Amino acid sequence: MPFEPLVKTGQPLSAAEVTRYARHVLIPGVGHEGQERLAAARVLVVGAGGLGSPALLYLAAAGVGTIGIVDADVVELTNLHRQVIHSDADLGRPKTESAAAAVGRVNPHVRVIRHDLTLDSTNALDVIRDYDVVVDGTDNFPTRYLINDACVLLGKPHVWGSILRFDGQASVWWKGHGPCYRCVFPEPPPPGSVPSCAEGGVFGILCAAIGSVQSTETVKLLLGLGEPLTGRLLVHDALRQSWDTLTVRADPACPVCGEDPSITELIDYVEFCGVPGAPAVGEVDVPEVSVREMVSELAGPQPPLLVDVRGEEERAIASIPGAVPIHLDRFRSGQAWDELPRDRRVLIHCKVGARSAEATRLALRAGYTDVANVAGGVIAYLHDIDASQPEY
């Protein structure tokens, strides 16, 4: 359905800009007026990672006048197979700084505002308030719900994308024009049930497919062009090279955008989404050992059983010698109890400690008494004990 452009008035273009954007200006529906609107537009991109990289580059090339970048991380080597806005020369550099430099190389007429922070309930409204549209390139559920709720409260549309392994999704959430994220995903998945890209991997090229959809939807919203993805969920399977469209609708009972909303201010989204291995009411934190303490115990006269709850692909990259593989899913199903001795101390590890904390918690609930989580997991082991293996 036709909709009004988000940007109502434009910003005059210089002769150099008219030449730069000439192929846009020639398109009916964009033209000189539309390009001036893009120059006046303000877009916030949350996450300068896999999805943020193509979105930032194409929004800058398209001539969006002001682009905000939110990210608190630095560039790491594991980012580079998909986060094409960064390079080897940027390793260790703040992602906002690296991304801003790349945007400047693509288009010197674009103004970049860096937000070197983690978006949370204390700052989200202030950060988002001055932008026309938000592009969500994040990879965790607390931030997704946070962005959604903040955009609903501020009346802003946000262009969402999600990727994992070979699959991607995209949509536009916008109260009054279609559903919000909560309408379609009212509850987050159980903590730890959906692997992050760091745990499950992601096909790097998939970022270009979904990120370019996000860029396209953003420009359409700014100019009032075509039909936005409001009310539609685009699902991409890279292995089948298929694009499917699902119709999604606003929920009148939605707690944030519905007829009688119960969420009228930002909440604690980490608590809402939950933390894998977090104690229930009345439970204490799981016991932990450091990797150095682990090594010492393994060298002792009565070594504990060391259990690795990661998947086979992760173990193939880096492992702690002697660890027995028992996948976290077997702890969740209870099958692990057939493999885990009750008369021997058990130490459990994963990549960084979150999944193994969940496994340790489940073992304690199953009646195991001498079990502990290895804090920091394999990554801590590589840093403190064995630097010969690759990180991931």
Side-chain angles (χ1 to χ4, degrees), residues 81-380:
H81 91 291
R82 67 196 184 281
Q83 300 181 15
V84 294
I85 203 166
H86 313 296
S87 69
D88 283 88
D90 298 313
L91 293 176
R93 192 179 187 186
K95 285 187 177 179
T96 56
E97 181 180 302
S98 171
V103 166
R105 290 191 296 272
V106 169
N107 191 345
H109 301 287
V110 175
R111 176 191 177 212
V112 175
I113 301 175
R114 291 173 51 190
H115 300 277
D116 294 89
L117 50 83
T118 299
L119 210 62
D120 61 30
S121 299
T122 67
N123 58 33
L125 294 176
D126 288 335
V127 171
I128 293 172
R129 182 173 284 112
D130 292 332
Y131 291 92
D132 300 306
V133 61
V134 177
V135 177
D136 180 359
T138 60
D139 62 355
N140 66 87
F141 290 101
T143 310
R144 288 172 182 169
Y145 281 96
L146 166 68
I147 293 171
N148 175 79
D149 292 0
C151 286
V152 169
L153 294 176
L154 293 170
K156 308 280 186 180
H158 90 271
V159 183
W160 169 79
S162 174
I163 51 174
L164 180 64
R165 294 174 177 157
F166 297 99
D167 300 315
Q169 300 178 342
S171 190
V172 173
W173 313 117
W174 194 4
K175 178 185 177 181
H177 297 262
C180 78
Y181 181 76
R182 277 186 188 267
C183 293
V184 180
F185 305 102
E187 296 290 338
S193 62
V194 178
S196 67
C197 290
E199 297 169 357
V202 62
F203 192 50
I205 302 168
L206 178 65
C207 300
I210 301 301
S212 65
V213 170
Q214 291 181 279
S215 307
T216 301
E217 291 301 303
T218 300
V219 171
K220 285 164 56 181
L221 289 169
L222 295 171
L223 299 182
L225 283 176
E227 298 181 12
L229 274 176
T230 50
R232 292 180 292 154
L233 179 64
L234 198 61
V235 180
H236 177 47
D237 181 337
L239 292 183
R240 291 177 54 233
Q241 202 56 265
S242 64
W243 294 86
D244 298 310
T245 304
L246 306 179
T247 299
V248 290
R249 293 180 173 84
D251 179 5
C254 175
V256 67
C257 79
E259 296 171 358
D260 187 21
S262 58
I263 297 175
T264 56
E265 60 184 18
L266 300 183
I267 62 175
D268 185 331
Y269 293 89
V270 173
E271 179 181 4
F272 171 69
C273 293
V275 178
V281 176
E283 286 186 317
V284 298
D285 292 335
V286 298
E288 287 190 337
V289 298
S290 69
V291 289
R292 294 189 183 279
E293 291 170 330
M294 175 200 71
V295 169
S296 178
E297 287 195 40
L298 291 173
Q302 294 182 306
L305 177 68
L306 180 63
V307 174
D308 186 343
V309 300
R310 300 173 302 153
E312 181 180 356
E313 294 81 6
E314 289 184 84
R315 298 197 306 273
I317 298 175
S319 293
I320 301 176
V324 175
I326 305 177
H327 197 277
L328 176 59
D329 287 343
R330 299 182 69 80
F331 283 81
R332 291 170 175 163
S333 68
Q335 294 174 305
W337 316 143
D338 295 332
E339 307 171 60
L340 216 60
R342 293 183 181 271
D343 58 353
R344 182 182 177 187
R345 179 164 169 77
V346 177
L347 302 181
I348 304 176
H349 83 81
C350 62
K351 178 183 178 181
V352 295
R355 284 172 286 170
S356 52
E358 180 183 353
T360 304
R361 173 72 61 198
L362 292 171
L364 291 169
R365 290 174 182 170
Y368 288 82
T369 56
D370 196 7
V371 60
N373 179 37
V374 179
V378 167
I379 298 302

